[in-house]
Structure formats: C-alpha cells, structure tokens
Amino acid sequence: MTGPGSHAPLRRPGRWRPLLTGPDERQARDLLTCILDELRRLDPGFMWPGLGDGPAGLALLFAYHGLSAGGASRRSCIDHALACLDIAGEQATHLFDRPGLINGYVGIAWAVDHLENLGVLPSDEDLNEQVDLCLLETLEPNSWQGLPDLIGGLAGFGIYAVDRRGRGRSARILARVMDILESTAERPEGGAAWYDPPDRLYPEAREVFPEGLYNLGVSHGNPGISGFLAEALSLDERSGPLLDASMAWILRQGEDHPDGSRFGEGFPRGAARRNPGGSRLSWCYGDLGLSLVTLLAARKRGCTAWEREALDLGRACARRPTFLEGVRNGCLCHGAFGNAHMFNRLYQASGDLRFQEAALAMYAHGLSLGRDASSSSGFSAQAPNLSQEGSSPGILTGLAGIGLALIAATTDMEPLWDGHMLLHVPPLEY
C-alpha cells in the first residue's frame, strides 16, 4: 500500500532541454510553421469559446512561439497572441453559465493570468476581478450542483485559484473549493473518492454509466482532483490529508489487462471488476495521464512510494505492445503529440532513457499522421464540427495543442502552459 509514510525532500528543478534533433527537428519546425500560418488565417471570433478549443488557446501558442523564437517574429507573435486573448475575453461575457476551466470563462481567465506570469501582459491591474466575483457566486454554500472534475468543475476552479498566486479573491475561491470537496468526498476503505451521479454526467457518459461512476480519468475524474490537491498543498492545510487519502484510493483501483494497461475509464458502485476494458494511451483517460499526475503529486508531497508507482506505470506505457495502435490523430487530449509530450515530460523529470525513446517514437508517429490535403499542416483546423477528431484549432483537440507540443520538443522553453492539464512536473537538475 502506498501513502505518505515514505516522504523524501523534493528534487531540485533543472533546465528544460529540446528533445528533437536532426531531420526530426527540421520536420517538426516545418510543421509548426505551417500550423502558425494556418491559424493566422482563421478568424478567432468564429471559434468555439474557451481555453481548450478557442482563441485563448491560440493566444498561448503564439505567446510561447514568440518568447521561444525571439528575433523579428517575437513582437508579431505576441501581438497576435494579445489579439486572440482580446477576442477570448469578449467571448467570456457570453459564458456566464459555463464556468469550466477547459471550455468556460475560468479557462480564459487562467490564460490571462498565465500570460501575465510570463510577462506578456502587464500585471499592474487585475484583469480577472469580475471572474473571481462570478466564480464565488457559483460556489456559494449549497449552490454548486456540478462535478468535482478538472475539465468543468471544482478541480479546475482550484487550479485557477492556485495559479492566481494570491491575487484577487483566489484565497476565498480556493477555500470554497476545498469546503465542497471535503464535504462531498466518500471514504471507501479509508481512502477518499468522489462519485459522479448520473444526473450530473455528460449525456455520452450517462449512456455508458447510467448509474453514475467513480471516474478514473485525469480530465473528468478522481486523478484530476488529486492533481489539484497536490497543487494546493502549500495554500490549504486540508489538502495534504485529502491528497493522501485520494491517492491511496486511486492506486488501489488498478487491474492488469492483456494489453498491458491497468486503469480504465471508471466503474459504478458494486462493479465486480473495476476496469474491464483497460485503456488506451492518452491524457484524458488511462495510464499515461495518470502516471504524470501521480508523479506530480509525488514530487509535491515528497512521497517516494508514489514516485515509484508513477514511473513504473509510465514505463509500462512505454513498453506496451499496442504502443502506437489506436493513435490516429495528433491532438493533446488523446493523440500522438499529446502522448509524445507526456513521455517527454516523464523523460525530463526522471532522466529515464526509456521515456526518451518512447517520446521520440510517438513524435515520429505524429509527424507521419497529417493527411488533410486541404490543410498546409496536414491536420484540419476547421472548428465547427468538434465531433470530428482533430477538427479543432484549439489546445485540447486541435492545432494549437500540436503546435505547443512541437515548441516543447524543439526549444529550451519549459512548457508551463501544460499546468492546466496537471502535466507540469519540473525537469531534473543534471
């Protein structure tokens, strides 16, 4: 059984290093140029609003490219980033009933704070004051009726509050998020878990789990909550015991599957088996995303037992027989470049060459996937039909995310943008 009993000092962070070299680097840079050119031609005003699939994600891409590339393109890229952010801010006024981190007004506000922290935006005034007020109203005692997850619920609000770095009403937001999580946590077998009732599930999830479920995905489930609790350790004393209990519960849920996976999407109460179908390699659900969140929690908590669990899980992903099977698009959420970026994070955080090899193989796979003849990048950037995989220009399922992963693989600028996905485990100091 893993838990907080084997704590060790946190490792010192080091410097981010480019992963790709030679022909792979040149191909990645060429693809990045095509993506940037293609996204410049889009009208962000007609994009899906939010951080995950909207202009706020484009703002992050152009800001990171400008800061990492420097030179003559720096100013034009940052100007384009700010223009995208302005449009995102205008869209936020129409999202008053959708506060989520990924596709709601909180995510747009997170992007504003992030660009301020990078020095792209001036920080002499708090641009998110109204967001804080709206979110506090949403989190009034006994008024929250949503989910506890990262994508659209409490964990995402908590990440926003943590990354506010004490500004505005972030302390009150964080306290209310913790209040609700504490009061709604179930305590099975001495752990802590959150159950999603059917009336609060998305329609697609309700079809699969008509009785509700204990969700095991980073995006919508308990691992995302644990990742937030790890981030909140220095800000709320209640987060430590709750993190210990939630991680203990999560790590008990694994089962061995023929494909080499251990964790599935989730399971309803009373299920005979927790993960009958296993899981693909992805961020949103399954072992790879969970390995990063577990490693993040381990480093934040200083728990060597969790770190062993995290790295063992990541290594199992890297040697899975079906390593590349089923990876048919390039997106961050569940595609080749997202998987490559996560393996790169594991490599930079551990120095394990098996993760480097996996990251290189997955980047090569992603670079081979572009097939859309109508697109200069080979990947579709058309936004209206988000049911088509890879059809978004945004971060989570589209071109902006691919571009950010390419920047991370070809430059020495640490990709702190992935903090909203709970992937930002610092690199080791060599």
Side-chain angles (χ1 to χ4, degrees):
M1 188 65 61
T2 59
S6 50
H7 288 180
L10 296 179
R11 301 188 182 201
R12 294 179 62 187
R15 182 172 65 85
W16 186 263
R17 288 169 166 79
L19 177 76
L20 299 180
T21 59
D24 287 342
E25 179 188 7
R26 290 192 292 273
Q27 189 178 358
R29 289 186 180 275
D30 288 345
L31 175 57
L32 176 61
T33 298
C34 291
I35 286 173
L36 293 167
D37 289 345
E38 191 161 348
L39 291 179
R40 281 185 184 277
R41 294 194 294 269
L42 291 181
D43 183 350
F46 288 94
M47 289 173 57
W48 193 284
L51 173 61
D53 290 309
L58 269 65
L60 292 181
L61 170 64
F62 280 95
Y64 268 83
H65 180 62
L67 292 173
S68 62
S73 66
R74 178 188 176 101
R75 187 67 260 166
S76 65
C77 282
I78 289 179
D79 285 345
H80 194 75
L82 296 178
C84 289
L85 198 64
D86 282 343
I87 293 172
E90 293 172 5
Q91 291 180 338
T93 61
H94 304 296
L95 296 174
F96 61 90
D97 61 341
R98 187 186 297 171
L101 177 65
I102 298 302
N103 283 320
Y105 65 77
V106 167
I108 296 172
W110 182 91
V112 169
D113 280 341
H114 191 74
L115 293 184
E116 285 187 357
N117 294 336
L118 289 176
V120 173
L121 277 174
S123 56
D124 52 351
E125 64 174 310
D126 188 357
L127 299 177
N128 287 332
E129 182 178 5
Q130 190 60 41
V131 171
D132 284 5
L133 292 173
C134 291
L135 190 52
L136 281 172
E137 184 175 346
T138 298
L139 296 172
E140 283 283 348
N142 302 317
S143 67
W144 174 248
Q145 297 297 319
L147 293 169
D149 66 337
L150 180 67
I151 288 275
L154 296 169
F157 306 156
I159 291 298
Y160 165 72
V162 168
D163 288 355
R164 293 279 278 148
R165 301 185 180 184
R167 299 187 72 188
R169 293 165 175 81
S170 58
R172 290 175 59 194
I173 293 170
L174 181 63
R176 288 191 182 176
V177 168
M178 289 298 304
D179 289 343
I180 300 172
L181 287 177
E182 270 200 318
S183 66
T184 55
E186 298 183 3
R187 301 287 181 166
E189 304 173 6
W194 289 265
Y195 194 84
D196 296 343
D199 60 316
R200 298 186 186 181
L201 292 179
Y202 301 95
E204 298 82 0
R206 192 161 54 245
E207 286 185 14
V208 180
F209 299 100
E211 300 174 3
L213 79 158
Y214 292 107
N215 195 308
L216 293 175
V218 173
S219 58
H220 287 293
N222 283 271
I225 300 168
S226 297
F228 152 66
L229 292 171
E231 290 287 87
L233 281 172
S234 63
L235 299 174
D236 193 304
E237 62 183 10
R238 297 172 293 176
S239 62
L242 202 54
L243 172 63
D244 296 340
S246 67
M247 286 303 304
W249 181 85
I250 288 170
L251 294 176
R252 284 200 296 265
Q253 309 312 312
E255 295 177 338
D256 292 328
H257 294 86
D259 64 357
S261 66
R262 283 191 56 78
F263 294 89
E265 293 186 1
F267 56 94
R269 286 194 177 97
R273 294 193 64 201
R274 297 182 179 89
N275 307 289
S279 61
R280 62 183 177 181
L281 291 179
S282 68
W283 168 75
C284 49
Y285 286 95
D287 297 359
L288 189 52
L290 182 54
S291 70
L292 261 298
V293 171
T294 302
L295 186 58
L296 177 69
R299 295 281 172 87
K300 292 283 187 178
R301 192 64 164 147
C303 181
T304 56
W306 294 351
E307 177 150 344
R308 285 194 300 270
E309 293 267 9
L311 295 178
D312 285 348
L313 190 60
R315 293 182 189 111
C317 291
R319 64 174 179 265
R320 190 180 293 187
T322 56
F323 179 71
L324 298 178
E325 292 180 18
V327 183
R328 300 186 180 91
N329 68 73
C331 71
L332 287 186
C333 182
H334 48 267
F337 291 106
N339 291 344
H341 179 70
M342 287 186 285
F343 280 124
N344 192 14
R345 270 290 187 188
L346 286 168
Y347 166 59
Q348 306 253 4
S350 69
D352 191 325
L353 295 179
R354 286 168 288 191
F355 295 133
Q356 180 192 46
E357 181 180 353
L360 290 171
M362 196 62 78
Y363 267 113
H365 182 61
L367 291 169
S368 73
L369 287 176
R371 294 290 184 271
D372 189 341
S374 67
S375 162
S376 61
S377 68
F379 297 90
S380 174
Q382 299 306 309
N385 185 2
L386 296 183
S387 65
Q388 295 180 359
E389 291 189 325
S391 65
S392 162
I395 283 187
L396 204 58
T397 61
L399 288 184
I402 294 173
L404 284 165
L406 294 171
I407 293 171
T410 56
T411 74
D412 61 1
M413 184 174 182
E414 185 174 355
L416 297 175
W417 53 265
D418 64 7
H420 79 281
M421 300 173 71
L422 297 172
L423 301 177
H424 56 308
V425 183
L428 287 184
E429 182 181 70
Y430 292 96

